[in-house]
Amino acid sequence: MVEQQEASSEDAVMTRIGQAVMLLHGGDREEARNRFGLLWSELGADGDALHRCTLAHYMADTQDDPGDELAWDLRALTAAEGLMSGERPDGHRDSLAVQALYPSLHLNLAADYLKLQRPDAARIHLRQARDAADTLEDGGHGGRAGPGSHGGHGGHGGHSGYDAGVRAAIERLELRMRGM
């Protein structure tokens, strides 16, 4: 019974994050930012790492200032690293979910640093994004290529839709940075 309540509570948090993401994607950045902020204060610094990672990852997208966006993306990465360094056992579903997010987390940081005219830091995270994407492709994700993947490789170039999208975004950012 207690486990069921905990699972239900976790699902409620992810549902609330999802609702705010829908507002964000629907164009209501301010309301999404407000809801993310409220949820962040409820989670606190010791809240579930997957929740903090997911929330911070999307909260970054609601920011108007590139420095604030960077701060939220760094919070997302810090939460992900905490989860991967022992908060969950190896192979736990949350660890697998975060591992699948690593390419996107590093890609966002690379874009943030580029906006802040810090190309050297951007290159470091761009390289980490590509390495993380390669790790997923090589099976570092337990055979899955990303969120929503059901095994195998579909989509363009033999990659899942998620993987192909992240790889295309990495390539676009690499092209932008070539002249720097």
Side-chain angles (χ1 to χ4, degrees), residues 6 8 30 52 56-57 61 88 91 95 140 156:
E6 287 176 5
S8 176
E30 185 176 348
R52 287 183 290 117
H57 179 66
D61 294 338
R88 296 276 197 273
S95 298
H156 119 90

mmCIF file of all heavy atoms in Angstrom, residues 6 8 30 52 56-57 61 88 91 95 140 156:
data_model
loop_
_atom_site.group_PDB
_atom_site.id
_atom_site.type_symbol
_atom_site.label_atom_id
_atom_site.label_comp_id
_atom_site.label_asym_id
_atom_site.label_seq_id
_atom_site.Cartn_x
_atom_site.Cartn_y
_atom_site.Cartn_z
ATOM 1 N N GLU A 6 3.438 5.902 -2.889
ATOM 2 C CA GLU A 6 4.642 6.587 -3.351
ATOM 3 C C GLU A 6 4.654 6.670 -4.871
ATOM 4 O O GLU A 6 4.984 7.699 -5.439
ATOM 5 C CB GLU A 6 5.893 5.865 -2.840
ATOM 6 C CG GLU A 6 6.138 6.072 -1.353
ATOM 7 C CD GLU A 6 7.326 5.279 -0.848
ATOM 8 O OE1 GLU A 6 8.020 4.633 -1.673
ATOM 9 O OE2 GLU A 6 7.564 5.289 0.364
ATOM 10 N N SER A 8 2.074 6.592 -6.842
ATOM 11 C CA SER A 8 1.027 7.534 -7.224
ATOM 12 C C SER A 8 1.479 8.966 -7.028
ATOM 13 O O SER A 8 1.216 9.842 -7.853
ATOM 14 C CB SER A 8 -0.235 7.246 -6.404
ATOM 15 O OG SER A 8 -1.226 8.202 -6.697
ATOM 16 N N GLU A 30 4.919 32.220 -19.397
ATOM 17 C CA GLU A 30 4.837 32.802 -18.054
ATOM 18 C C GLU A 30 4.111 31.876 -17.077
ATOM 19 O O GLU A 30 4.584 31.636 -15.963
ATOM 20 C CB GLU A 30 4.149 34.165 -18.098
ATOM 21 C CG GLU A 30 4.141 34.855 -16.747
ATOM 22 C CD GLU A 30 3.556 36.251 -16.808
ATOM 23 O OE1 GLU A 30 3.363 36.798 -17.917
ATOM 24 O OE2 GLU A 30 3.289 36.786 -15.721
ATOM 25 N N ARG A 52 13.579 16.636 -10.246
ATOM 26 C CA ARG A 52 14.356 17.879 -10.315
ATOM 27 C C ARG A 52 15.008 18.042 -11.681
ATOM 28 O O ARG A 52 15.012 19.125 -12.258
ATOM 29 C CB ARG A 52 15.414 17.919 -9.215
ATOM 30 C CG ARG A 52 14.825 18.159 -7.830
ATOM 31 C CD ARG A 52 15.874 18.283 -6.739
ATOM 32 N NE ARG A 52 16.511 16.992 -6.481
ATOM 33 C CZ ARG A 52 17.796 16.726 -6.676
ATOM 34 N NH1 ARG A 52 18.626 17.657 -7.084
ATOM 35 N NH2 ARG A 52 18.283 15.522 -6.424
ATOM 36 N N ALA A 56 13.841 21.090 -14.057
ATOM 37 C CA ALA A 56 14.853 22.097 -14.391
ATOM 38 C C ALA A 56 15.111 22.143 -15.896
ATOM 39 O O ALA A 56 15.314 23.216 -16.471
ATOM 40 C CB ALA A 56 16.147 21.815 -13.629
ATOM 41 N N HIS A 57 15.104 20.976 -16.534
ATOM 42 C CA HIS A 57 15.319 20.884 -17.980
ATOM 43 C C HIS A 57 14.277 21.720 -18.733
ATOM 44 O O HIS A 57 14.606 22.473 -19.651
ATOM 45 C CB HIS A 57 15.233 19.405 -18.381
ATOM 46 C CG HIS A 57 15.414 19.111 -19.817
ATOM 47 N ND1 HIS A 57 16.602 19.324 -20.487
ATOM 48 C CD2 HIS A 57 14.563 18.569 -20.727
ATOM 49 C CE1 HIS A 57 16.464 18.940 -21.745
ATOM 50 N NE2 HIS A 57 15.245 18.481 -21.924
ATOM 51 N N ASP A 61 13.741 26.331 -20.455
ATOM 52 C CA ASP A 61 13.108 26.790 -21.695
ATOM 53 C C ASP A 61 12.133 27.947 -21.477
ATOM 54 O O ASP A 61 11.688 28.561 -22.441
ATOM 55 C CB ASP A 61 12.375 25.638 -22.381
ATOM 56 C CG ASP A 61 13.322 24.556 -22.878
ATOM 57 O OD1 ASP A 61 14.519 24.851 -23.071
ATOM 58 O OD2 ASP A 61 12.861 23.415 -23.066
ATOM 59 N N ARG A 88 20.059 6.018 -7.255
ATOM 60 C CA ARG A 88 19.238 4.883 -7.692
ATOM 61 C C ARG A 88 20.188 3.731 -8.057
ATOM 62 O O ARG A 88 21.289 3.961 -8.550
ATOM 63 C CB ARG A 88 18.435 5.224 -8.956
ATOM 64 C CG ARG A 88 17.430 6.316 -8.782
ATOM 65 C CD ARG A 88 16.139 5.729 -8.210
ATOM 66 N NE ARG A 88 15.014 6.599 -8.372
ATOM 67 C CZ ARG A 88 14.673 7.555 -7.520
ATOM 68 N NH1 ARG A 88 15.400 7.780 -6.462
ATOM 69 N NH2 ARG A 88 13.602 8.297 -7.726
ATOM 70 N N GLY A 91 20.491 0.297 -13.479
ATOM 71 C CA GLY A 91 19.399 -0.362 -14.166
ATOM 72 C C GLY A 91 18.030 0.100 -13.707
ATOM 73 O O GLY A 91 17.035 -0.318 -14.273
ATOM 74 N N SER A 95 17.210 5.824 -13.644
ATOM 75 C CA SER A 95 18.587 5.953 -14.129
ATOM 76 C C SER A 95 18.633 5.810 -15.645
ATOM 77 O O SER A 95 19.350 6.542 -16.327
ATOM 78 C CB SER A 95 19.487 4.900 -13.477
ATOM 79 O OG SER A 95 19.540 5.079 -12.083
ATOM 80 N N GLY A 140 24.503 1.552 -24.395
ATOM 81 C CA GLY A 140 24.675 2.016 -23.031
ATOM 82 C C GLY A 140 23.358 2.332 -22.366
ATOM 83 O O GLY A 140 23.306 2.705 -21.205
ATOM 84 N N HIS A 156 14.971 7.962 -39.167
ATOM 85 C CA HIS A 156 15.947 8.279 -40.196
ATOM 86 C C HIS A 156 17.341 7.866 -39.784
ATOM 87 O O HIS A 156 17.712 7.910 -38.633
ATOM 88 C CB HIS A 156 15.824 9.785 -40.501
ATOM 89 C CG HIS A 156 17.025 10.615 -40.242
ATOM 90 N ND1 HIS A 156 17.955 10.812 -41.197
ATOM 91 C CD2 HIS A 156 17.445 11.298 -39.149
ATOM 92 C CE1 HIS A 156 18.901 11.601 -40.714
ATOM 93 N NE2 HIS A 156 18.600 11.902 -39.478
#
